[in-house]
Amino acid sequence: MLKLQTKTLLALASVMFVLTLVITLASLASFRDFSIRAATEHTRTAAEMIRVALTESMVNGTMDKRHTLLERVAEVDGLDEARVIRGKLVEEQFGNGLAMESHADAIDYQVLGSGKPVYTLMGGYLNSEFRATVPYIATTRGDVNCLNCHAVQEGSVLGAVTLTASIEHMRTAAILTVIVLVGATALFSVISLLFLRRLLQPLVTTASEIEHAVRQAKVGDFSVRVQQRSNDEIGAIARHFNSLSEGITNKLSEIRQNVAHLVQSQPTENGDLLADTANTVSGLVKVAQFKQAIEEDESSEEVFQRIGEVIQDEFKFETFSIYEVDQTNKQIKTICVDGIAQAPIQWCNTDISEKCTACRAVRTGHYIDGTENALICRSFASDARNDGKTYLCLPVIQSGGVGSVIQLVLKKEDVKRAEHSRPLIESYLREAAPVLQAKRLMASLRESTLNDAMTGLRNRRFLEEYSDTLVNQCKRRGTSMTLIMMDLDYFKKVNDTYGHDVGDAILVDLANIFKANVRDSDLIIRYGGEEFLIILLDTDAEAGVLVAEKIRKAVESFQFKAGGVLLNKTISAGLADYPTDGQAFWQVLKYADVSLYAAKDGGRNQVVRFTPELWVSEEKY
């Protein structure tokens, strides 16, 4: 690709070359035309002199000596040949004449026939020999009447004189002149080119420096400046470009500093200023979009799922763990391992699940960098350490403590990328922290509305909200569900005799007995007062009776404390089976309640299985 200076100089050189060529050709043509014109006039004059001399010789009677005249004329400087050709009429009247007058050529015959002179270069356009053949026409005008001697008519061609002259000296002079003109033009062209080159040099150099500066700016280097070489428009361009570059550098540096402050990182000094800033701003835009998305999520589980997706999809880390910390019970729960929800602990020792302070990130509250010292946290899995893996653990601070931990498990080739990505990942986690805290608080508040504050069991509101879910679960699995209604016998006497505090303590002990005798998957609900509902999932009535009897016996054998007195209490139970006894949850619950009343009416401290005979109401449920 030709540069501006080269193209300009080539264009000017082409113009100068064409100009020189035109001048040369015009000069040669002009000198040729001048030479021909001069030779024409010269030979015409010489021909006229010969005609006059021959006429005088004829008048004076010295015609027989005309060859001497012609020889002397031929010796004139500039003439190479002079000869006379007699016309046909003259030969008929006076004979053939001298031998030199008999050698006519085609041009002579042409002139003798047409009576018109011929002036031409002999041998071609560039030949230096000029020939003029001029006719002698008989006329009565002038001092001498030709018809007095020649028996011809007026206007007849008597003969022709042929003169040849060299124009070599004119051609040489023309060539020398042209050489001088061409040399002068060439010298002028060279001087013009040098002068133009000098004028263009600052512009070309400035343009080249601006091009280099722009190329560097494209890769993020805005430090290149253009030298100001003059005070004209070119210098102004350099000055304004430097001012623009300085402004861009300052603004981008300010933006980068602010962005780095937002993500709490140190900007790289020698990095691509524009690309780094653009990438970080783009990352912050994604963080803002992430925050908007998690604020609209329903639960903390969905938030954790999005965090896992960001780690996998945005930052391309495949091995990682997300832990949720229970500061109350000092436990850690695994949320996600390598993108798999509720997976068992893989990258840490399992003892952290029961003792959260074994995790260094939980204990210290700041990020743990195992890339520099793999042994800084003793809870990192030894198998992973032996396999050459390292880790970076990022705590999520909630309510002044660590609420969750993000653990990145890294290969050696991922360490630098992880260090580079850490500030932006922490930005995601800072935005997620208050949302997780709010979701956890809302879940806790919701949980409290569904639990009985005294016993810690589920309450009746929970049953109202989740009854449909329980029925759908049974339908989906094709299993049964047994509802057991239980009521502590003669509980009112306890409150009346020992007070409500003792009554409350007995209810708490009773709740613990229930928990000890059912599965974790079963539901225990304080239905109201001393009345409880136990829902045995995936259990039919026959198995339910066995569980109810087990609980009844456990209560019967348990001694409840009433101040300094130990009390023995009994419990009555009624149960019904879904879907054997009824097709609606509340219908089965009513049947269990009817069975409970049947147990009380039958003497208490017993378990009654619902039968259709127990439903004595005429109303269909």
Side-chain angles (χ1 to χ4, degrees):
M1 181 178 178
L2 295 178
K3 294 185 177 180
L4 174 63
Q5 183 180 26
T6 304
K7 290 192 288 186
T8 304
L9 294 178
L10 285 177
L12 181 60
S14 300
V15 171
M16 291 300 183
F17 175 76
V18 172
L19 178 62
T20 302
L21 184 62
V22 169
I23 291 175
T24 301
L25 295 177
S27 300
L28 290 175
S30 298
F31 277 109
R32 177 181 179 278
D33 183 69
F34 173 75
S35 299
I36 292 175
R37 289 179 180 273
T40 299
E41 295 299 323
H42 180 62
T43 52
R44 181 183 292 116
T45 301
E48 183 63 23
M49 292 175 61
I50 293 173
R51 186 187 69 78
V52 172
L54 293 176
T55 301
E56 291 296 326
S57 297
M58 186 177 292
V59 172
N60 295 328
T62 57
M63 195 62 178
D64 55 338
K65 298 181 179 179
R66 61 185 180 276
H67 64 280
T68 305
L69 171 65
L70 295 175
E71 291 175 353
R72 293 179 63 185
V73 170
E75 294 176 356
V76 175
D77 188 23
L79 292 178
D80 295 337
E81 180 186 12
R83 58 188 177 86
V84 176
I85 304 299
R86 285 190 174 190
K88 185 177 181 182
L89 296 177
V90 176
E91 287 182 345
E92 291 177 353
Q93 183 178 357
F94 297 104
N96 291 333
L98 302 175
M100 61 181 298
E101 297 174 345
S102 302
H103 300 290
D105 54 19
I107 296 177
D108 294 331
Y109 287 125
Q110 176 186 343
V111 173
L112 292 175
S114 64
K116 295 180 180 180
V118 173
Y119 303 97
T120 183
L121 287 174
M122 300 296 294
Y125 185 82
L126 298 177
N127 200 287
S128 61
E129 193 73 19
F130 181 79
R131 172 177 173 169
T133 301
V134 181
Y136 287 159
I137 308 299
T139 179
T140 57
R141 295 185 297 273
D143 296 337
V144 179
N145 186 352
C146 297
L147 300 184
N148 291 333
C149 299
H150 297 281
V152 296
Q153 295 181 356
E154 175 81 16
S156 298
V157 179
L158 301 178
V161 60
T162 296
L163 300 173
T164 58
S166 175
I167 59 173
E168 179 68 28
H169 62 289
M170 293 185 182
R171 187 174 71 173
T172 302
I175 291 175
L176 290 175
T177 303
V178 168
I179 290 174
V180 172
L181 287 175
V182 170
T185 304
L187 180 60
F188 175 75
S189 300
V190 171
I191 294 174
S192 299
L193 289 173
L194 293 175
F195 180 71
L196 181 62
R197 183 177 182 275
R198 182 177 180 81
L199 288 179
L200 289 176
Q201 189 63 39
L203 174 61
V204 172
T205 305
T206 301
S208 178
E209 291 182 357
I210 291 177
E211 180 185 9
H212 173 67
V214 171
R215 289 181 183 275
Q216 292 299 113
K218 289 174 66 177
V219 296
D221 181 10
F222 292 87
S223 62
V224 180
R225 297 294 180 265
V226 178
Q227 181 180 354
Q228 182 178 348
R229 294 176 173 81
S230 59
N231 294 321
D232 54 8
E233 292 86 347
I234 299 174
I237 291 174
R239 184 172 63 257
H240 292 319
F241 179 85
N242 291 337
S243 177
L244 175 64
S245 298
E246 190 70 27
I248 292 175
T249 302
N250 292 337
K251 290 299 180 183
L252 282 178
S253 298
E254 182 180 352
I255 293 172
R256 184 172 66 169
Q257 290 290 342
N258 292 334
V259 169
H261 177 72
L262 284 176
V263 299
Q264 297 183 6
S265 67
Q266 291 296 326
T268 55
E269 294 297 331
N270 300 320
D272 187 334
L273 179 62
L274 184 59
D276 288 347
T277 303
N279 291 337
T280 307
V281 171
S282 176
L284 289 177
V285 171
K286 293 180 180 179
V287 170
Q289 295 171 343
F290 168 81
K291 181 182 180 182
Q292 183 179 5
I294 63 176
E295 286 175 344
E296 298 173 355
D297 284 338
E298 185 176 1
S299 63
S300 58
E301 287 74 15
E302 293 185 33
V303 177
F304 282 124
Q305 182 181 353
R306 289 191 186 274
I307 294 175
E309 291 170 352
V310 166
I311 293 174
Q312 281 187 309
D313 301 336
E314 187 68 27
F315 296 99
K316 308 302 180 184
F317 294 111
E318 297 297 331
T319 51
F320 63 94
S321 298
I322 300 178
Y323 302 106
E324 186 174 22
V325 180
D326 184 354
Q327 293 286 3
T328 302
N329 299 317
K330 302 300 180 183
Q331 294 177 343
I332 284 182
K333 180 177 71 172
T334 303
I335 300 296
C336 173
V337 176
D338 300 343
I340 302 174
Q342 306 301 326
I345 295 176
Q346 180 177 351
W347 304 114
C348 286
N349 297 332
T350 56
D351 58 352
I352 66 170
S353 61
E354 298 299 329
K355 184 181 178 183
C356 67
T357 54
C359 174
R360 191 178 185 88
V362 174
R363 190 168 64 253
T364 62
H366 57 75
Y367 83 94
I368 304 301
D369 188 356
T371 61
E372 296 181 356
N373 181 8
L375 296 176
I376 190 172
C377 181
R378 300 291 182 180
S379 294
F380 186 61
S382 57
D383 291 342
R385 185 183 295 111
N386 295 334
D387 197 31
K389 291 183 173 61
T390 184
Y391 55 92
L392 187 64
C393 295
L394 307 173
V396 181
I397 306 300
Q398 301 172 24
S399 301
V402 177
S404 51
V405 176
I406 311 300
Q407 179 191 41
L408 302 180
V409 181
L410 309 171
K411 299 177 182 178
K412 289 184 179 180
E413 57 268 24
D414 296 331
V415 171
K416 288 186 178 180
R417 184 164 60 89
E419 285 295 331
H420 179 74
S421 303
R422 181 177 64 82
L424 197 55
I425 295 177
E426 289 180 333
S427 296
Y428 277 96
L429 299 182
R430 278 194 298 273
E431 297 299 334
V435 177
L436 285 170
Q437 182 176 344
K439 301 290 184 188
R440 180 179 288 183
L441 177 60
M442 291 299 295
S444 177
L445 292 174
R446 178 175 175 79
E447 190 74 11
S448 66
T449 63
L450 300 178
N451 287 352
D452 178 60
M454 184 179 67
T455 62
L457 302 178
R458 297 293 188 181
N459 58 21
R460 190 166 183 169
R461 182 176 178 182
F462 172 86
L463 188 64
E464 292 171 352
E465 289 196 13
Y466 286 92
S467 60
D468 291 339
T469 302
L470 296 173
V471 170
N472 292 332
Q473 180 177 325
C474 289
K475 289 180 179 180
R476 185 171 61 254
R477 295 180 179 178
T479 59
S480 299
M481 172 175 58
T482 298
L483 278 62
I484 305 175
M485 289 292 292
M486 290 188 168
D487 187 85
L488 195 63
D489 297 330
Y490 304 111
F491 181 69
K492 184 175 183 302
K493 292 181 179 180
V494 174
N495 285 332
D496 293 342
T497 304
Y498 299 101
H500 288 280
D501 290 342
V502 173
D504 291 344
I506 290 176
L507 292 179
V508 171
D509 290 338
L510 186 61
N512 292 331
I513 293 174
F514 292 154
K515 293 176 184 178
N517 287 277
V518 298
R519 300 166 300 182
D520 291 339
S521 60
D522 298 327
L523 298 174
I524 308 172
I525 298 167
R526 187 183 180 191
Y527 199 69
E530 69 275 16
E531 194 173 23
F532 296 86
L533 171 65
I534 297 177
I535 301 175
L536 304 178
L537 300 174
D538 302 326
T539 305
D540 57 18
E542 287 71 17
V545 169
L546 297 177
V547 175
E549 281 291 339
K550 178 182 176 183
I551 295 174
R552 185 193 65 78
K553 292 177 181 180
V555 173
E556 185 180 29
S557 62
F558 188 83
Q559 291 187 321
F560 297 92
K561 292 181 180 181
V565 180
L566 296 177
L567 299 177
N568 290 97
K569 301 297 294 181
T570 60
I571 194 167
S572 299
L575 62 89
D577 175 7
Y578 173 88
T580 304
D581 297 326
Q583 297 299 312
F585 179 84
W586 296 104
Q587 179 187 19
V588 176
L589 180 61
K590 183 64 176 178
Y591 290 162
D593 191 48
V594 169
S595 301
L596 172 62
Y597 279 98
K600 286 183 175 292
D601 291 342
R604 293 183 170 84
N605 192 25
Q606 59 181 302
V607 176
V608 174
R609 162 80 167 86
F610 174 77
T611 60
E613 291 78 13
L614 295 176
W615 184 254
V616 296
S617 175
E618 296 181 357
E619 178 183 358
K620 291 185 178 180
Y621 197 90

